[in-house]
Amino acid sequence: MGDVPATGWDRAVVAGLDGSAEGLAAGLWAADEAVLRGVPLRLVHVREADPRVVPGAGGAELVRDAAARVRRFHPELVVATETVFGHAADALVAETTDAGPAGLLVLGSRGLGTVRGFLAGSVGLAVAAASHRPVVLVRAGSGDEAPAHGGDVVAGVDVFEPNGEVLAFAFREAAVRSRRLRAVACWSLPPAYGYVAALDPGVTAEVGREVAATLADLLVPWRQRFPSVTVTEAAVAGSPGVELVRAAAGAALLAVGRHRTRLPLAPRLGHVAHAVIHHASVPVAVVPLEAGRH
């Protein structure tokens, strides 16, 4: 596995605000997270070159009002605010680089609902696909009520790929909340197995056992590193996007991995991250993974 460091956990939690209810929910969720981590909160509003892109209040007023709401719940929290100018996705991704302040970036999300506010649609997806740090996408809560951090932390684990970063993130999130971690590995038989499975149903059961055993092995060093975290594990047959959304119902957070790309092409989320962002009702953390690290 190696020792995956707590990269970014000593840096600020940054929330991107766009004037929507989802953006405000992201700010409140980010404030809770900053308190859990013991780091400052940074509230950022990006003004596009074309002012028609960003509806609602001016940037300074927007972040000032959000900061006032945050301080109602966390008067002791150090809160910084800033309005920046430029392309929204580029400006937010810049917050997550080594030169940027963010250890975690939090954005609002409407899932498959009507899009209003640039962070709820293509910009949020673009940022999650290109960010150098984990990005959490949060749905709107209820009015001024502080967002709840109760419930389990759920981690989607691909047993056939490196998972160090997503497991490190999920275990730490469970630890700071004193919550259970549920590790879920989804699998399905390759098409070539279809005929064999039809002749011998035991093949399906055997593959399921192998996935479960691999998941258990992957979790051993993390259980040792985080002995205070209660962990349950499940190997589930089915589409990862569908099964992870089902498993995360009522959870505090769902964490999934996203491979970084070094190709000269636009970064892509991957179908699992894309599916859970659109369909999960709980906050979704998209964690960039480094190939070759376990």
Side-chain angles (χ1 to χ4, degrees), residues 123-282:
V123 170
L125 295 176
V127 172
S131 175
H132 301 266
R133 305 284 181 180
V135 175
V136 176
L137 293 109
V138 179
R139 301 293 180 87
S142 54
D144 291 335
E145 184 178 343
H149 274 248
D152 298 339
V153 174
V154 177
V157 182
D158 184 345
V159 299
F160 304 107
E161 297 287 347
N163 283 282
E165 288 80 5
V166 72
L167 286 173
F169 179 88
F171 267 89
R172 291 188 186 101
E173 289 292 337
V176 296
R177 289 171 170 78
S178 298
R179 295 291 177 175
R180 180 176 62 172
L181 173 64
R182 288 188 278 127
V184 180
C186 302
W187 62 276
S188 58
L189 289 177
Y193 275 66
Y195 181 70
V196 175
L199 294 177
D200 182 5
V203 170
T204 301
E206 178 61 25
V207 172
R209 286 192 293 270
E210 290 179 0
V211 172
T214 303
L215 175 60
D217 289 342
L218 285 174
L219 293 174
V220 167
W222 296 101
R223 291 178 185 270
Q224 294 171 346
R225 186 173 177 183
F226 293 90
S228 67
V229 175
T230 299
V231 185
T232 65
E233 59 200 75
V236 181
S239 165
V242 173
E243 297 302 333
L244 288 175
V245 169
R246 182 177 292 124
L253 182 66
L254 169 61
V256 296
R258 184 266 301 168
H259 288 290
R260 298 190 188 190
T261 177
R262 293 178 175 82
L263 298 176
L265 301 172
R268 290 188 284 181
L269 269 175
H271 67 279
V272 175
H274 195 275
V276 298
I277 287 171
H278 280 83
H279 295 283
S281 61
V282 304

Side-chain angles (χ1 to χ4, degrees), residues 57-129:
E61 180 183 353
L62 192 157
V63 293
R64 184 174 60 248
D65 289 349
R69 293 201 183 196
V70 163
R71 291 188 178 105
R72 287 170 49 193
F73 299 113
H74 303 293
E76 77 291 352
L77 180 62
V78 175
V79 182
T81 62
E82 185 171 359
T83 299
V84 299
F85 294 84
H87 183 265
D90 291 343
L92 291 167
V93 170
E95 295 280 323
T96 71
T97 64
D98 288 341
L104 179 72
L105 179 62
V106 186
L107 305 177
S109 173
R110 285 183 177 236
L112 290 177
T114 303
V115 174
R116 185 191 70 202
F118 64 87
L119 295 184
S122 61
V123 170
L125 295 176
V127 172

